[in-house]
Amino acid sequence: IGFKAPDEFILKLLKSYPEATRVHGTDDWLPLHVAAMWGTSASVMEALIRTYPQALDDGGQESIKGRTPRHFSARFEHNRKLLERSTEDWMGLINTE
């Protein structure tokens, strides 16, 4: 995500291995942290959130000051509304589909 992989690739990966959204990597970040930090497309951002909405509340490592993906919502306007929507709202939306 941080290296700007094509959306099609990331979306196929999410479909094949949705558990990847729960794997902490560098700085104990989840893929959603990386997507929010580097401004992935809105379609990838929404797919990540829909796959694991609880990631919106994940603070990562102490060394990154407990920043959740929402901390980066102002960096990229095209993702702001997706990141600022509450986890509860996302869960409700997903559960009604």
Side-chain angles (χ1 to χ4, degrees):
I1 294 171
F3 292 101
K4 306 293 184 191
D7 287 359
E8 303 80 35
F9 176 80
I10 295 171
L11 294 171
K12 285 181 184 178
L13 180 63
L14 283 173
K15 189 173 183 176
S16 298
Y17 185 49
E19 297 83 14
T21 60
R22 299 168 188 258
V23 177
H24 289 88
T26 304
D27 292 327
D28 209 22
W29 277 10
L30 293 169
L32 189 58
H33 284 94
V34 178
M37 173 72 177
W38 294 104
T40 192
S41 71
S43 61
V44 169
M45 183 68 70
E46 185 169 354
L48 285 166
I49 294 169
R50 285 178 174 276
T51 304
Y52 185 45
Q54 296 87 344
L56 288 164
D57 301 319
D58 188 278
Q61 255 182 12
E62 296 267 336
S63 64
I64 59 168
K65 302 176 186 169
R67 293 181 178 144
T68 69
R70 286 190 177 98
H71 172 82
F72 303 105
S73 67
R75 289 185 68 139
F76 299 96
E77 189 61 34
H78 66 278
N79 287 326
R80 182 187 299 259
K81 288 183 181 178
L82 297 171
L83 290 166
E84 290 181 351
R85 185 177 207 162
S86 75
T87 303
E88 184 178 283
D89 283 351
W90 277 110
M91 297 291 289
L93 179 67
I94 294 163
N95 290 332
T96 59
E97 294 179 341

